[in-house]
Amino acid sequence: MEPGERGATRIADRVVAKIASQAAREALRVGGAANAGAVGGADVGADAGVDPGEAVLADVVGAARPYAVAAVRGGVARVRVSVELGYPSDIGAHCGAVRRQVIERVGEMTGMEVPEVAVTVERLHVPQWERPERRARRGRDRVR
């Protein structure tokens, strides 16, 4: 059969959204030694102004996975991604890393052009500061 007679493959919006969600998760994942100082495998120290020694708190316990919504029209995908980040962190660098990773992964997995990726930060997670245990004052510790 000739290529024009074969038909077309249609990739659903929700499939593109799942790819985008996974790509955002990859971009925010705190790597081991191989990814030290990197977000999503891309070195963000020089490009995005993130200190490589900065603790990235994207994988905070209780943090929701990134959520994505996509609209596909004629081989072009427009994507919105919602993420949760640790605080303090370089929000702009993380959003840029998510945007780049989503464009790259959706493009390579679907062959679609991704001209628009809107990243929304839904929540910032503040680490719980350890509170010193309050000791019950007994006997000699009380003021008399």
Side-chain angles (χ1 to χ4, degrees):
M1 283 190 143
E2 293 297 319
E5 298 174 7
R6 291 186 204 157
T9 301
R10 184 183 182 301
I11 300 173
D13 295 358
R14 66 188 176 112
V15 173
V16 175
K18 276 198 156 211
I19 294 168
S21 178
Q22 180 61 34
R25 187 171 183 211
E26 291 169 4
L28 295 174
R29 182 176 28 233
V30 177
N35 288 337
V39 174
D43 183 10
V44 294
D47 295 334
V50 172
D51 178 15
E54 178 182 1
V56 180
L57 299 174
D59 281 342
V60 175
V61 174
R65 289 184 175 191
Y67 176 78
V69 176
V72 178
R73 300 291 178 264
V76 176
R78 292 188 181 345
V79 180
R80 289 184 309 172
V81 181
S82 297
V83 298
E84 295 183 8
L85 299 175
Y87 178 84
S89 65
D90 188 341
I91 295 170
H94 291 302
C95 290
V98 167
R99 193 173 290 112
R100 286 187 298 276
Q101 186 73 1
V102 168
I103 290 169
E104 180 182 328
R105 298 291 280 160
V106 169
E108 76 183 23
M109 294 184 86
T110 66
M112 292 182 186
E113 179 186 346
V114 186
E116 181 181 329
V117 177
V119 181
T120 302
V121 178
E122 291 290 327
R123 185 184 318 176
L124 295 174
H125 291 278
V126 179
Q128 295 292 328
W129 295 97
E130 289 184 12
R131 294 182 185 177
E133 292 181 9
R134 297 183 182 200
R135 297 180 184 160
R137 297 191 180 258
R138 297 184 191 155
R140 66 176 189 257
D141 294 339
R142 285 190 274 171
V143 177
R144 296 178 192 213

